[in-house]
Amino acid sequence: AKAVGLSPEVVEEGRTVLAEVAAATAAADVDGTSRRAVDSGAADGGRGGAAPIALAIHSVEVEGFGAFTEAVQYPLHARGVCAVVGDNRDDQCADSNGAGKTTLVMAPMWCLTGQSDLRMEGGVSKALTKLDVVNDGVKAARVRLEGSVDGQPFWVLHTR
């Protein structure tokens, strides 16, 4: 990955944080997808020792979804780890609140499954509804995801 326009101190701090996250994830191995589990064959999802499936997301396009009213495409192919930062230009007092960071990260899951992230309200998990994912200024939401599975290209379009 290449850091563009960041000071060396920020780049080094980012590397430190990523190393800590990677170490904690490998140690926890909560879902059996750590490198240790993959190398041992435990991460085959019950497919009898078959190799793990390689999923690559090449681009995400959103329109009318969450904070995005107009179509915006984010190319991700061969980008490595991406940091999602926001700049809310509609409301200078909001800083990055409402800029669409969570919406952009949640868009591939919604596109593939029709489900959004779960929110906790009063100790109960609640999925976002149609009214929550469709931008107030438009009538419909659209997310297009392009990628590859084991090297075979695919695209998925989800609208609501």
Side-chain angles (χ1 to χ4, degrees), residues 5-64:
L6 298 175
S7 70
E9 295 83 17
V10 171
V11 171
E12 186 56 37
E13 182 64 23
R15 286 186 177 133
T16 301
V17 168
L18 289 173
E20 291 172 3
V21 169
T25 301
D29 192 19
V30 174
D31 62 358
T33 59
S34 70
R35 175 52 49 199
R36 182 180 65 241
V38 170
D39 290 344
S40 71
D44 68 4
R47 294 179 294 122
I53 295 172
L55 170 67
I57 298 175
H58 298 231
S59 69
V60 176
E61 184 175 337
V62 293
E63 181 180 12

Side-chain angles (χ1 to χ4, degrees), residues 5-140:
L6 298 175
S7 70
E9 295 83 17
V10 171
V11 171
E12 186 56 37
E13 182 64 23
R15 286 186 177 133
T16 301
V17 168
L18 289 173
E20 291 172 3
V21 169
T25 301
D29 192 19
V30 174
D31 62 358
T33 59
S34 70
R35 175 52 49 199
R36 182 180 65 241
V38 170
D39 290 344
S40 71
D44 68 4
R47 294 179 294 122
I53 295 172
L55 170 67
I57 298 175
H58 298 231
S59 69
V60 176
E61 184 175 337
V62 293
E63 181 180 12
F65 184 72
F68 300 92
T69 54
E70 298 177 8
V72 180
Q73 184 179 34
Y74 292 90
L76 301 171
H77 187 64
R79 300 267 318 254
V81 175
C82 295
V84 178
V85 295
D87 181 13
N88 188 338
R89 295 180 184 170
D90 294 332
D91 184 354
Q92 294 300 317
C93 295
D95 206 13
S96 70
N97 289 339
K101 300 177 301 291
T102 301
T103 301
L104 180 61
V105 172
M106 169 173 87
M109 180 175 64
W110 184 77
C111 185
L112 291 170
T113 68
Q115 301 292 314
S116 59
D117 68 337
L118 296 176
R119 304 289 172 137
M120 295 300 290
E121 288 186 10
V124 177
S125 62
K126 172 188 172 260
L128 298 179
T129 66
K130 176 184 178 191
L131 295 176
D132 296 322
V133 297
V134 176
N135 184 286
D136 292 338
V138 298
K139 295 182 180 183

